[in-house]
Amino acid sequence: ESGHLMGKKERSEREVKRENYATKHSAEKRKQTLIAIGVLSIIIVIVGYAGWMFINMTDSAPGGPENAGVINSEHSHTGILVKIFGDPFDFSAPAYQIKSPWIHFEGRDGSTIHKHATGVTLGYLFDSLALELDDQCFVFQDGRSFCSNEDYKLSFFVNGEQVSDLRDVEPMEDDKVLITYGAETPEEIQSQLLELENQELIK
C-alpha cells in the first residue's frame, strides 16, 4: 500500500512539475512576445517620426526658397533657352539635373524647367545649379563670366518681353524665358525668341 501511495505522490509531483514548466514556458513566451511588440512599436514610432520629419523637412528643408509653398503645391513647366555668343547653354548635362526638389531640369532634358512649389524664383534655380546670375552677369560653374559691357550685352526676355533682371521672376506654366549674351541685332534676338517659341515643352 505504501508503494501505491508513493507512486501517486510521485505522479502528482510530476504533474505539478509539468504544469510549472508549461506555465513558466508560456510566461517566457509571453514575455518574449511583449518584448517583440515593445521593440516593434519603438521601431514604428522611430520610422513614423523619421517619415514625419522627412515630410516636414522637405516642406521647409534648410536652403529651401524663402517664400515657397510646400513641395508639390504646384507642378509647372517653363521653356528656357540660354544663348552665349549664339551657342545654346546645355542644361541637360548631369551637373544641372535635379539639383533641387523645388525647381529643376529632369529626365536628361535641358529645355524645360519643372517647378514643384509655388513662390520659387529663377534666381533660386540658378543658385541651385551653382550658376551665378544677376542683372549684369551670367557666370558658369568653372568661373567664366559673361557680363554686359560696351561690346556685349546680357539680355533677358520673358514671353517675348524684355526684362531687366530675372532673379525675382517666378516661372509659370507655359512661360518662355530667353537669356542671351552677345552683340545680337534685334533681328537675331527675334530669331532666338522664335527658336524658343518652337521649342517643345517636356511635360
Side-chain angles (χ1 to χ4, degrees):
E1 191 163 296
S2 64
H4 179 66
L5 270 172
M6 277 299 288
K8 213 172 177 185
K9 201 171 161 208
E10 263 180 27
R11 202 177 308 122
S12 59
E13 267 179 16
R14 219 180 291 133
E15 274 170 12
V16 167
K17 258 195 199 140
R18 196 183 302 126
E19 267 173 32
N20 279 352
Y21 174 76
T23 50
K24 231 203 218 132
H25 192 65
S26 63
E28 193 64 33
K29 262 184 107 163
R30 199 176 305 124
K31 198 169 130 193
Q32 282 174 347
T33 308
L34 285 174
I35 289 170
I37 290 169
V39 169
L40 206 63
S41 50
I42 289 167
I43 290 169
I44 289 166
V45 167
I46 290 169
V47 169
Y49 179 68
W52 180 83
M53 277 296 284
F54 179 75
I55 289 162
N56 285 283
M57 187 182 81
T58 48
D59 287 355
S60 57
E66 264 179 54
N67 303 309
V70 297
I71 296 267
N72 294 328
S73 53
E74 184 183 301
H75 186 186
S76 61
H77 308 83
T78 298
I80 187 168
L81 180 64
V82 176
K83 291 270 192 166
I84 308 289
F85 294 125
D87 290 327
F89 186 89
D90 185 14
F91 290 107
S92 69
Y96 308 113
Q97 292 286 304
I98 313 189
K99 293 300 169 192
S100 159
W102 278 276
I103 187 167
H104 54 240
F105 294 96
E106 65 185 42
R108 298 205 190 115
D109 160 69
S111 65
T112 303
I113 298 165
H114 296 255
K115 182 168 64 117
H116 288 272
T118 54
V120 188
T121 62
L122 288 172
Y124 183 81
L125 170 68
F126 282 95
D127 286 347
S128 74
L129 300 175
L131 295 166
E132 285 176 49
L133 179 75
D134 59 28
D135 59 338
Q136 296 293 316
C137 295
F138 183 90
V139 185
F140 285 10
Q141 285 183 342
D142 63 12
R144 281 180 293 161
S145 60
F146 302 87
C147 301
S148 290
N149 56 34
E150 286 170 19
D151 303 312
Y152 305 111
K153 195 161 169 17
L154 183 66
S155 306
F156 311 111
F157 296 83
V158 178
N159 300 328
E161 298 289 318
Q162 187 160 5
V163 295
S164 59
D165 195 338
L166 276 184
R167 284 171 297 179
D168 293 331
V169 171
E170 180 181 350
M172 296 298 190
E173 185 70 14
D174 296 329
D175 276 355
K176 299 283 172 80
V177 176
L178 173 70
I179 299 173
T180 183
Y181 180 80
E184 272 73 23
T185 63
E187 290 75 31
E188 285 170 324
I189 283 179
Q190 280 309 312
S191 76
Q192 288 184 0
L193 286 167
L194 190 64
E195 183 184 338
L196 169 63
E197 201 48 50
N198 292 328
Q199 214 170 254
E200 195 191 338
L201 276 173
I202 312 291
K203 294 189 181 182

